[in-house]
C-alpha cells in the first residue's frame, strides 16, 4: 500500500494531524495498534488556544456541546467539607482573544470528536496495526507491521505516545527528569452519593486523593498518589480500599471502574523531532506532568503546525526546507511547556494566563519575517498568534478558517501583490495596529510590514504568488 503520509497512532495528535491533512487534500493513513480508540479520560483540559484550533477544524460547537466547565475544588477534612478553591485563575475574554476559559473534556470524548471529523473529510483509522519496523531512503519510508502488509509513505509521523515505537526504532533519545517519584493512579469511576458540583480533594497520611466530575458524563476521574516504592493495586477492590482509607466515602460507593492506569509524573523532551522523512509529534516528542494541563494541548499544536507544511511540500508549493521549521518552532515551544507543567506540578505557578497557550509564538523562527523597525514592546510581530476581531463587517477567525493562508491589510490602502490566497482589508484595529500581515494556515503571522514591500519574495517561497 502507498500513501503520502503515514500517521502512527490514533490519539489526539494523530487524529488532529489526520484530519488536518485530509482538509488539505493529502492522502494520509492513520494506523493504531489497538482495536479501538483510547478509552480513558487521561488528558481532560482543553486550553483556549486549542479551542481556536478546534474552531478552525470546524468542531468547536461539537466540543462545547459535550464539554463541561472546571468546577471549584472542595477540600475535605475528617469527613467535613472545608474551603473552596479555583483550579484556574479566571481571564476575561476579549475581542482579540474570544476563548479564555479552559474546558473539561475526557480524552476519549475529544478523540471521538476528532475521529468523527476525520471520517467526514474522507479519512479513516486502520486499527490493529502494530508497527514493528521502519526503513527509509531518499524517496520515502517503508513501514512493517505485526499483521498486514507493509505501507510505503513519502513521510511518516510518530504520534504513538510516550513509549513511542517509532522513536525507539529511530534511536532518538529523550532527555528529562522525574517530576515526582511517587507513583500515581488515574481512573475513570462511577461513585454514588458524591456531589458533582466540586472537584473533591482529600489529604491524609495515606496520600492525596482527588475526585473530579467529568462534564458531559456520569463518570468521575479519580487521581491517587502513593508513597515511593508502593506496588499500586489497579483492581476495583484496590481502588475501593484507597478511597475508603482516604475519605469519608465507603468502598461500596465506588460502584464501577471503567478505566485505570498508573504513572509517575515526568518531564522529558526528545533529543530531535525529526530523522529524515520521519517526524515526532505529541507524547512521542515530549512527556509532561498532567498537572499543568499542557500535554494534550501541546500535542494538538504539534499536529496543527506540521500538517500544513507537509501539505505544501507534497503539493510542490514549497521546498522541502519548509519542513525544517517544524522542529525549530515546536521543540522550543514544547520545552517551554514542559517547564511550565513542572512548575505547576510543584506548586510554583498557578494555572492561568500562561497555561492558556495564547501567548506562544514563533518570533525566532526562520519562517517569521518582521520588516517594521522600532516597534513598541507590546506590538504584534511576525511569529505571533493572529488575533481575532470584527472590523468592517468581517470576523477575522471566519476569514482565517480553513487550510489556506490569508493576506490581511489593516488600516491601509497599500497595493498588494497578486496572490492565490484570500485577501482581506479591514479598518485600523488596535490588536494589529496598521500594516500588512500574511497569516499562516495555523493562525500565526508569517510576514508583517508597514507596506507590502518585500512581501512578494516571501509569498513566492511559500508558493502563494498568482501565475
Amino acid at each position: 500500500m502507498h500513501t503520502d503520509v503515514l500517521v502512527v497512532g490514533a490519539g489526539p495528535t494523530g487524529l488532529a494531524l489526520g484530519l488536518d491533512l485530509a482538509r488539505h487534500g493529502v492522502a494520509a493513513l492513520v494506523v493504531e495498534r489497538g482495536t479501538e480508540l483510547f478509552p480513558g479520560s487521561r488528558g481532560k483540559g482543553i486550553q483556549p488556544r486549542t479551542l481556536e484550533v478546534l474552531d478552525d477544524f470546524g468542531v468547536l460547537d461539537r466540543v462545547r456541546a459535550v464539554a463541561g466547565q472546571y468546577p471549584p475544588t472542595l477540600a475535605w477534612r475528617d469527613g467535613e467539607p472545608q474551603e473552596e478553591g479555583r483550579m484556574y485563575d479566571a481571564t476575561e475574554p476579549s475581542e482579540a482573544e474570544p476563548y479564555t476559559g479552559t474546558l473539561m473534556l475526557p480524552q476519549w470524548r475529544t478523540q471521538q470528536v476528532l475521529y468523527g471529523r476525520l471520517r467526514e473529510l474522507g479519512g479513516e483509522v486502520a486499527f490493529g496495526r502494530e508497527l514493528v519496523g521502519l526503513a527509509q531512503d531518499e524517496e520515502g519510508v517503508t513501514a512493517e507491521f505485526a499483521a498486514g502488509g507493509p505501507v510505503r509513505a513519502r513521510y511518516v509521523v510518530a504520534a504513538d505516545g510516550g513509549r513511542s515505537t517509532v522513536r525507539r526504532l529511530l534511536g532518538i533519545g529523550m532527555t528529562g527528569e522525574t517530576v515526582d517519584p511517587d507513583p500515581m493512579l488515574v481512573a475513570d469511576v462511577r461513585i454514588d452519593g458524591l456531589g458533582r458540583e466540586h472537584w473533591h480533594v482529600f489529604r491524609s497520611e495515606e496520600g492525596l486523593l482527588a475526585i473530579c466530575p467529568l462534564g458531559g458524563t456520569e463518570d468521575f476521574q479519580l487521581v491517587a498518589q502513593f508513597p515511593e516504592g508502593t506496588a499500586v493495586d489497579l483492581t476495583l477492590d484496590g481502588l475501593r480500599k484507597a478511597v475508603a482509607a482516604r475519605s469519608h466515602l465507603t468502598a461500596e460507593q465506588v460502584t464501577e471502574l471503567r478505566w485505570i492506569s498508573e504513572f509517575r509524573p515526568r518531564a522529558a523532551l526528545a533529543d530531535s523531532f525529526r530523522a529524515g522523512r520521519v517526524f515526532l509529534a505529541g507524547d512521542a516528542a515530549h512527556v509532561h506532568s498532567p498537572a499543568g494541563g499542557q500535554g494534550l494541548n501541546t500535542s494538538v499544536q504539534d499536529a496543527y503546525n506540521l500538517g500544513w507544511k507537509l501539505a505544501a511540500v507534497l503539493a510542490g508549493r514549497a521546498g522541502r526546507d519548509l519542513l525544517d521549521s517544524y522542529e525549530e518552532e515546536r521543540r522550543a515551544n514544547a520545552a517551554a511547556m514542559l517547564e511550565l507543567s513542572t512548575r505547576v506540578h510543584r506548586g510554583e505557578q498557578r494555572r492561568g494566563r500562561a497555561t492558556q497557550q495564547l501567548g506562544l509564538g514563533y518570533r525566532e523562527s526562520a519562517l517569521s519575517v518582521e520588516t517594521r523597525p522600532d516597534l513598541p514592546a507590546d506590538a504584534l510581530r511576525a511569529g505571533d498568534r493572529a488575533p481575532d476581531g470584527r472590523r468592517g463587517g468581517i470576523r477575522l477567525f471566519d476569514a482565517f478558517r480553513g487550510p489556506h493562508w490569508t493576506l490581511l491589510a489593516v488600516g491601509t490602502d497599500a497595493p498588494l501583490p497578486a496572490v492565490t490566497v484570500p485577501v482581506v482589508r479591514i479598518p485600523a484595529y488596535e490588536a494589529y495596529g496598521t500594516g500588512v500581515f500574511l497569516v499562516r494556515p495555523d493562525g500565526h503571522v508569517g510576514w508583517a510590514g508597514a507596506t507590502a514591500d518585500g512581501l512578494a519574495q516571501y509569498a513566492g517561497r511559500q508558493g502563494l504568488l498568482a501565475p
Side-chain angles (χ1 to χ4, degrees), residues 392-425:
I394 296 171
R395 185 192 176 190
L396 292 178
F397 274 11
D398 288 342
F400 300 155
R401 187 178 298 109
H404 54 76
W405 293 71
T406 306
L407 181 54
L408 178 66
V410 184
T412 177
D413 293 325
L416 303 174
V419 292
T420 58
V421 303
V423 177
V424 177
R425 290 185 182 269

Side-chain angles (χ1 to χ4, degrees), residues 1-3 6 28-31 126 129 141-143 145 149-153:
M1 178 180 179
H2 290 77
T3 187
L6 174 66
L29 173 65
V30 181
V31 295
R129 297 282 271 164
V141 187
T142 300
F145 297 88
V151 174
R152 179 72 174 172

Side-chain angles (χ1 to χ4, degrees), residues 34-380:
T35 58
E36 60 182 2
L37 296 176
F38 172 76
S41 66
R42 186 175 290 146
K44 65 181 183 297
I46 308 297
Q47 301 292 353
R49 178 55 183 159
T50 303
L51 295 176
E52 295 181 353
V53 176
L54 297 174
D55 186 350
D56 186 29
F57 284 170
V59 297
L60 182 58
D61 288 345
R62 303 180 202 184
V63 166
R64 284 175 159 169
V66 294
Q69 301 294 324
Y70 269 73
T73 59
L74 179 62
W76 289 81
R77 185 179 301 114
D78 299 327
E80 296 294 330
Q82 305 295 314
E83 68 278 1
E84 284 192 353
R86 288 286 174 184
M87 186 65 68
Y88 287 89
D89 292 334
T91 303
E92 290 299 316
S94 66
E95 186 178 18
E97 297 178 348
Y99 316 129
T100 57
T102 301
L103 294 185
M104 180 183 292
L105 191 65
Q107 182 172 322
W108 62 266
R109 269 260 164 90
T110 300
Q111 292 178 169
Q112 282 184 343
V113 171
L114 295 174
Y115 183 41
R117 182 62 174 148
L118 171 63
R119 296 186 69 181
E120 288 175 359
L121 293 168
E124 192 48 87
V125 175
F127 292 100
R129 297 282 271 164
E130 181 181 359
L131 183 79
V132 295
L134 278 179
Q136 61 176 310
D137 52 45
E138 292 184 0
E139 301 300 323
V141 187
T142 300
E144 301 284 348
F145 297 88
V151 174
R152 179 72 174 172
R154 293 175 67 182
Y155 294 98
V156 171
V157 180
D160 54 344
R163 298 175 180 175
S164 170
T165 297
V166 176
R167 190 183 66 236
R168 176 178 56 79
L169 290 172
L170 295 173
I172 296 176
M174 291 198 78
T175 302
E177 62 176 324
T178 298
V179 175
D180 192 330
D182 294 342
M184 303 186 74
L185 71 77
V186 58
D188 294 347
V189 298
R190 296 280 175 89
I191 299 177
D192 284 344
L194 185 63
R196 300 187 64 85
E197 300 79 18
H198 294 95
W199 188 327
H200 304 275
V201 179
F202 307 88
R203 297 185 185 276
S204 65
E205 293 182 358
E206 287 80 8
L208 172 71
L209 173 68
I211 305 176
C212 177
L214 291 169
T217 77
E218 298 179 9
D219 298 345
F220 290 86
Q221 185 191 69
L222 184 152
V223 175
Q225 188 173 28
F226 295 84
E228 184 177 2
T230 301
V232 181
D233 187 344
L234 299 182
T235 67
L236 175 57
D237 285 343
L239 193 64
R240 283 171 164 169
K241 290 175 183 177
V243 169
R246 301 177 186 209
S247 74
H248 62 277
L249 301 172
T250 66
E252 291 72 26
Q253 285 179 265
V254 183
T255 60
E256 187 176 348
L257 172 59
R258 302 176 64 79
W259 168 80
I260 192 167
S261 180
E262 179 186 355
F263 68 98
R264 285 165 179 76
R266 60 191 293 257
L269 186 67
D271 297 339
S272 173
F273 278 24
R274 181 184 183 184
R277 290 178 170 268
V278 184
F279 299 83
L280 304 185
D283 287 356
H286 42 79
V287 178
H288 303 245
S289 160
Q294 301 301 296
L296 181 151
N297 294 275
T298 302
S299 299
V300 170
Q301 299 297 330
D302 290 345
Y304 197 45
N305 182 284
L306 182 57
W308 69 269
K309 296 174 180 177
L310 284 169
V313 171
L314 288 165
R317 294 191 302 272
R320 288 176 58 181
D321 58 346
L322 175 63
L323 298 175
D324 295 338
S325 67
Y326 169 69
E327 177 163 351
E328 179 188 17
E329 294 180 346
R330 291 309 303 160
R331 194 169 186 275
N333 272 271
M337 291 300 96
L338 284 171
E339 293 176 2
L340 176 61
S341 296
T342 300
R343 291 197 303 271
V344 172
H345 184 101
R346 292 172 174 168
E348 299 168 358
Q349 180 161 342
R350 288 275 302 168
R351 300 168 182 87
R353 173 69 186 180
T355 57
Q356 294 174 353
Q357 298 202 359
L358 292 171
L360 296 181
Y362 309 124
R363 289 186 180 184
E364 304 304 317
S365 169
L367 199 57
S368 301
V369 177
E370 176 59 66
T371 67
R372 298 165 297 169
D374 304 322
L375 288 173
D378 60 349
L380 180 74

Side-chain angles (χ1 to χ4, degrees), residues 4 19-28 121 311 403:
D4 282 335
L19 78 84
D20 199 20
L21 291 170
R23 69 185 189 140
H24 281 277
V26 173
L121 293 168

